[in-house]
Amino acid sequence: MNHSSEKEGLCAVPAIEYRNVYKRFDRTDGKSLRVRPCRKGGDKRKKQGEESCPDAEASAGASSAGALKEESGFYAVNNLSAEIRDGELITILGSSGCGKTTLLKMTNRLYEPDGGSILLFGEDIQKQDPVQLRRKMGYVIQQAGLFPHMTVEDNVSVIPRLLKWEPARCRDRVTELLELVGLEPDQYRSRYPSQLSGGQQQRVGLARALATKPGVMLLDEPFGAVDAITRLNLQNELLRIHRETGGTFLFVTHDIHEAFRLGNRVMIMNGGRLLQMDTPETIVRKPADPFVETLIRSAMEQEHFWNSSIAFDRGADK
Amino acid sequence: MIRFLTRHPEKIYIPLLEHIELVFLTLIISVAIAAVLTLICLRNESLSLWLQQLLGVVYSIPSLALFAILIPVTGLGRTTAVIALTAYNQYLLLRNFTTGLKEVDPAVTDAAKGIGMTWLQVLTKVQIPLARRALFAGIRLAVVSTIGIGTIAASINAGGLGTLLFDGLRTMNIARILWGSILSAGLAILTNALLRAAEERL
Amino acid sequence: MWEKMLAYIVTHRAALLVQTGTHLWISLAALAAAVLIGVPCGYLAADSPGMEKWISAPFHVLRVIPSLAILVLLIPIAGTGALPAVIALTILAVPPVLLNTIVGFRDVPPFMTESAAGMGMTDKEILRKVRIPLAMPMIFAGIRTALVEVIASAALAARIGAGGLGEVIFTGLGLNRMDLLLLGGVLVAALSLLCGGLFDAITGILMPYRNLARQQ
């Protein structure tokens, strides 16, 4: 895992870099069919509607945009470029359908971009085997996706076991991880997901994603399905985990308070485009777009209702 | 085979009519009993579980066996068949009725209760209309099941299309075997399809 | 009547044992064949929407046809005896197994397989560790239905010369002997319930996660 976050400088390789990324869907509801992990070098099985893996790096925008018919689809991600530095916690904010989940899923090649390229620590992800790529990243989804037929221990250690780690090493790692996410190991390791609350399930989901010490963590609205109080706890835990592990975290959310509270920098998306990417304070002071401005204003009005005399201070929470 | 039809048409249409009559009679009794049982089960959850388990056990008894067990008590003939068939149908009907009624959106039933409808009114004006498809599906399953098991009832002198099958078997008469199979299969398929279509329109 | 029954059991215990054995082996053979056919076909059909329609439609129809009709219909084609009975019973047992397998695989939530893919599992690993275990409860339910169906139809198959406990019932019918009827009926019922119970126990051991409640 890269600890280059200490030496922040313009010469450090960004953890993730998006260059003119495009993604188009044919159906207007934006739904893609069941995802399949691609084989090395491209997917020979082309099923109806499924995205195939491009064999070569697609040049910036030109190849796909011209060939597709504009009327029958829409761009979920439209010419997006951004750089994410190692060790940052980036929140991606936008309403439903703005493309944030699509962007996340292109980062671990669950979706394939139609144009542009994505680099992980300087290497084009298209050139890597998708399965190996995903094993280098952690992936957490809103429903937790814990396998109901496995205990917590088996769930957390599922990738290590597939990588043929020795049982003792797996066990120790599970203990370590459960402690990290705030669950008493001996109490929880033999339980089944159906015996856990929503918040506990999400913690296990986090533990599972961190099992192989990935340098990059992808989180897709992980706290969307839990109640507000649990969510607050989990947010604090996430900040602590990020501090302790030092990795790069990409966190998708539609909640502006969550995005501004957690993110070192926030990416605001709408309609597939990146509107602004800055620290929360900068965005509040200098919104780059009318949409961003409206967003800030509505959030501020809510804050105003609760507490008009105390300024919003991020420092106090850390 | 056509010769059999032209020479002895009564040997075909009488079993057919007997079968339809058997199914009809059984269904009416079954649905009536199931309706009462469902009402009771809706009020009392533990009784419901116990009853469904009991009926499940009965359902897994092979029909020939159940007939055989009942005969010393109720004799040969249609009565025994109707009793056994009704017992089997209770499992199907009760399960589908209770599930169908329970799966009506609780928000709607709560709203009905909230505006002051009695339990019975909620049931008749809200739950049953909203669950009508599931209820009808249960009845359809029971009908098809009765048609199927009804063929076996011929072996205990209850009449029906099974007589063609058993007689044909006894005398190795292909014509009877074919007519018996085709009619019973056809009746089942046709009834299922018709009831399915009706279900869609509900 | 009870004395007659007991006398029968004593004098015919060898024959009864043979009949029980026959009943069991034709049932289990048919069930095994149905699983070997139904599960792979169901899995293939579940993965391909086009194939699924073509495959499940005839089996839905097959399910509706009375079992006696199928048993008897096969006689002109396959003759009488144990083997034709096994064939007929297999035909009867495949629909629940196949249809339940299809539903079992289709019911695996897409986010589950997506989460597995996102973690870096290959297709084969996802099938082995996620899809199959999650489809198992449904598949086993289908096998259980088939089991009950097969044992019931095996009783009928005695009529086409396959042997089995149905012979006792049919003998009782033919000779108008209530004791034989009761004996046969009880034995077949007991066999069905025992096998069902055994199957449920095995399912409970293999898949303990199915019915767990929330602990705090």
Side-chain angles (χ1 to χ4, degrees):
Chain A
M1 191 164 55
N2 262 306
H3 284 278
S4 56
S5 44
E6 312 316 309
K7 26 181 175 72
E8 261 203 59
L10 294 166
C11 41
V13 175
I16 304 176
E17 194 184 334
Y18 299 102
R19 290 186 184 163
N20 306 102
V21 177
Y22 284 87
K23 175 77 189 147
R24 188 180 168 281
F25 282 116
D26 285 322
R27 302 212 206 140
T28 45
D29 63 357
K31 274 197 246 170
S32 200
L33 290 181
R34 215 157 64 206
V35 166
R36 296 209 177 255
C38 303
R39 301 260 145 75
K40 239 191 184 112
D43 196 353
K44 303 288 184 284
R45 304 161 295 150
K46 290 222 177 101
K47 301 217 175 132
Q48 186 199 24
E50 251 179 280
E51 300 299 324
S52 57
C53 308
D55 285 323
E57 185 186 321
S59 50
S63 51
S64 26
L68 300 168
K69 296 194 284 278
E70 283 280 353
E71 320 87 51
S72 59
F74 70 102
Y75 282 95
V77 174
N78 207 336
N79 200 3
L80 190 144
S81 298
E83 259 182 39
I84 295 170
R85 300 191 273 269
D86 189 17
E88 281 194 296
L89 200 177
I90 301 290
T91 47
I92 308 179
L93 173 68
S95 49
S96 314
C98 70
K100 50 193 198 296
T101 297
T102 310
L103 186 68
L104 198 78
K105 286 187 176 170
M106 284 196 279
T107 313
N108 67 356
R109 289 186 70 180
L110 283 176
Y111 292 165
E112 297 290 357
D114 290 318
S117 52
I118 302 178
L119 306 168
L120 183 71
F121 291 109
E123 286 180 34
D124 190 348
I125 63 175
Q126 286 300 329
K127 298 216 165 85
Q128 305 174 41
D129 173 40
V131 171
Q132 297 310 320
L133 177 74
R134 291 172 199 145
R135 290 185 183 181
K136 285 194 274 186
M137 300 185 186
Y139 183 54
V140 182
I141 59 174
Q142 190 178 90
Q143 303 95 328
L146 296 184
F147 304 136
H149 58 292
M150 295 185 188
T151 56
V152 164
E153 168 130 31
D154 288 337
N155 259 290
V156 172
S157 60
V158 68
I159 293 292
R161 279 182 296 130
L162 284 174
L163 292 172
K164 309 258 196 291
W165 288 16
E166 301 109 46
R169 192 178 164 207
C170 289
R171 252 198 319 273
D172 292 335
R173 186 69 183 135
V174 170
T175 312
E176 216 182 308
L177 287 163
L178 287 177
E179 277 170 2
L180 178 66
V181 299
L183 292 172
E184 164 67 55
D186 291 320
Q187 215 193 4
Y188 284 94
R189 62 198 319 150
S190 311
R191 292 209 192 162
Y192 284 94
S194 56
Q195 299 171 297
L196 304 175
S197 70
Q200 290 164 339
Q201 286 183 17
Q202 273 304 350
R203 289 173 196 251
V204 176
L206 274 169
R208 184 173 69 172
L210 290 163
T212 53
K213 296 206 204 244
V216 173
M217 283 278 281
L218 304 176
L219 303 109
D220 191 353
E221 303 200 53
F223 307 148
V226 299
D227 63 88
I229 296 176
T230 312
R231 197 180 312 149
L232 223 51
N233 286 333
L234 290 174
Q235 286 171 3
N236 289 333
E237 297 286 62
L238 188 73
L239 289 170
R240 176 181 59 80
I241 293 170
H242 176 241
R243 243 193 343 263
E244 290 182 23
T245 59
T248 309
F249 281 34
L250 262 183
F251 187 110
V252 166
T253 178
H254 62 262
D255 179 1
I256 184 171
H257 300 288
E258 189 170 58
F260 277 48
R261 185 161 179 254
L262 298 178
N264 297 131
R265 286 192 292 161
V266 181
M267 288 171 70
I268 302 188
M269 287 181 68
N270 190 35
R273 294 181 192 278
L274 177 63
L275 299 178
Q276 190 171 5
M277 181 173 180
D278 253 316
T279 62
E281 293 87 2
T282 316
I283 296 180
V284 172
R285 274 187 283 121
K286 293 192 251 184
D289 190 87
F291 176 79
V292 178
E293 225 182 295
T294 324
L295 210 57
I296 307 293
R297 204 158 299 210
S298 62
M300 277 183 145
E301 277 169 12
Q302 284 183 36
E303 282 288 313
H304 199 78
F305 170 76
W306 289 108
N307 214 328
S308 50
S309 52
I310 301 177
F312 179 52
D313 184 22
R314 265 181 98 246
D317 287 319
K318 285 254 174 81
Chain B
M1 221 183 102
I2 308 293
R3 216 168 0 130
F4 186 76
L5 173 61
T6 47
R7 279 217 200 132
H8 314 274
E10 75 286 355
K11 291 220 171 76
I12 293 181
Y13 73 72
I14 288 186
L16 182 63
L17 287 174
E18 278 178 348
H19 205 108
I20 297 179
E21 211 187 316
L22 178 69
V23 172
F24 215 67
L25 182 64
T26 309
L27 250 305
I28 295 184
I29 299 178
S30 301
V31 171
I33 297 182
V36 172
L37 287 177
T38 310
L39 285 175
I40 299 177
C41 283
L42 284 176
R43 294 297 246 170
N44 189 333
E45 186 61 37
S46 54
L47 183 67
S48 166
L49 284 169
W50 180 87
L51 193 60
Q52 294 219 30
Q53 278 200 0
L54 179 68
L55 290 172
V57 167
V58 170
Y59 191 74
S60 61
I61 299 177
S63 50
L64 194 62
L66 190 60
F67 289 149
I69 295 176
L70 285 174
I71 290 174
V73 181
T74 51
L76 292 164
R78 203 151 73 155
T79 324
T80 313
V82 172
I83 295 176
L85 287 167
T86 308
Y88 285 130
N89 283 341
Q90 292 318 304
Y91 170 70
L92 292 169
L93 290 171
L94 196 67
R95 187 186 67 181
N96 275 286
F97 284 0
T98 46
T99 310
L101 289 172
K102 284 204 192 136
E103 279 186 352
V104 172
D105 190 355
V108 178
T109 44
D110 280 345
K113 270 189 258 178
I115 61 175
M117 292 173 102
T118 65
W119 176 82
L120 197 61
Q121 285 171 332
V122 174
L123 184 67
T124 49
K125 289 185 189 284
V126 178
Q127 283 179 296
I128 291 180
L130 285 176
R132 60 189 189 282
R133 268 221 186 152
L135 300 178
F136 199 78
I139 297 179
R140 173 172 61 85
L141 287 171
V143 169
V144 171
S145 167
T146 309
I147 294 178
I149 305 179
T151 56
I152 303 173
S155 62
I156 63 165
N157 294 2
L161 290 167
T163 48
L164 279 168
L165 287 166
F166 281 111
D167 285 346
L169 192 52
R170 208 165 22 95
T171 58
M172 276 303 169
N173 184 329
I174 301 282
R176 274 186 221 238
I177 290 180
L178 281 176
W179 274 112
S181 310
I182 294 177
L183 281 180
S184 56
L187 184 65
I189 297 175
L190 199 67
T191 318
N192 189 46
L194 282 173
L195 289 178
R196 252 282 165 85
E199 200 177 309
E200 297 295 311
R201 304 246 163 149
L202 275 183
Chain C
M1 184 178 68
W2 297 103
E3 306 85 40
K4 278 171 85 180
M5 233 169 79
L6 273 152
Y8 185 87
I9 297 178
V10 169
T11 51
H12 289 86
R13 60 181 181 280
L16 280 173
L17 234 59
V18 169
Q19 283 164 332
T20 312
T22 314
H23 201 118
L24 270 173
W25 89 253
I26 58 176
S27 306
L28 292 175
L31 192 66
V35 169
L36 284 172
I37 299 175
V39 174
C41 288
Y43 162 66
L44 290 171
D47 265 1
S48 128
M51 239 172 95
E52 193 214 326
K53 253 195 315 170
W54 288 111
I55 289 195
S56 51
F59 284 101
H60 273 295
V61 172
L62 194 59
R63 234 187 164 167
V64 169
I65 299 179
S67 44
L68 187 63
I70 296 191
L71 266 173
V72 176
L73 200 55
L74 231 49
I75 294 176
I77 307 175
T80 56
L83 198 57
V86 172
I87 297 176
L89 292 179
T90 309
I91 295 178
L92 285 171
V94 167
V97 174
L98 181 93
L99 295 170
N100 271 42
T101 306
I102 293 180
V103 174
F105 275 107
R106 305 213 116 219
D107 271 0
V108 176
F111 72 77
M112 198 71 70
T113 43
E114 201 174 77
S115 171
M119 293 192 308
M121 293 171 93
T122 61
D123 259 348
K124 270 218 289 266
E125 285 164 349
I126 296 180
L127 181 66
R128 211 165 32 98
K129 294 213 157 226
V130 180
R131 295 179 68 206
I132 289 181
L134 288 179
M136 286 286 252
M138 202 68 195
I139 298 178
F140 269 65
I143 299 179
R144 178 137 183 357
T145 308
L147 177 68
V148 171
E149 173 78 44
V150 152
I151 293 184
S153 306
L156 289 170
R159 199 68 188 72
I160 65 168
L165 288 167
E167 282 181 344
V168 180
I169 299 179
F170 281 111
T171 312
L173 278 172
L175 300 177
N176 210 8
R177 282 185 58 175
M178 298 296 133
D179 57 323
L180 289 182
L181 277 176
L182 198 57
L183 181 64
V186 167
L187 284 175
V188 174
L191 193 67
S192 178
L193 291 171
L194 254 152
C195 288
L198 203 67
F199 191 84
D200 289 339
I202 295 177
T203 315
I205 296 176
L206 283 178
M207 295 182 274
Y209 52 91
R210 268 195 313 157
N211 298 311
L212 289 171
R214 264 271 299 273
Q215 280 176 28
Q216 260 317 334

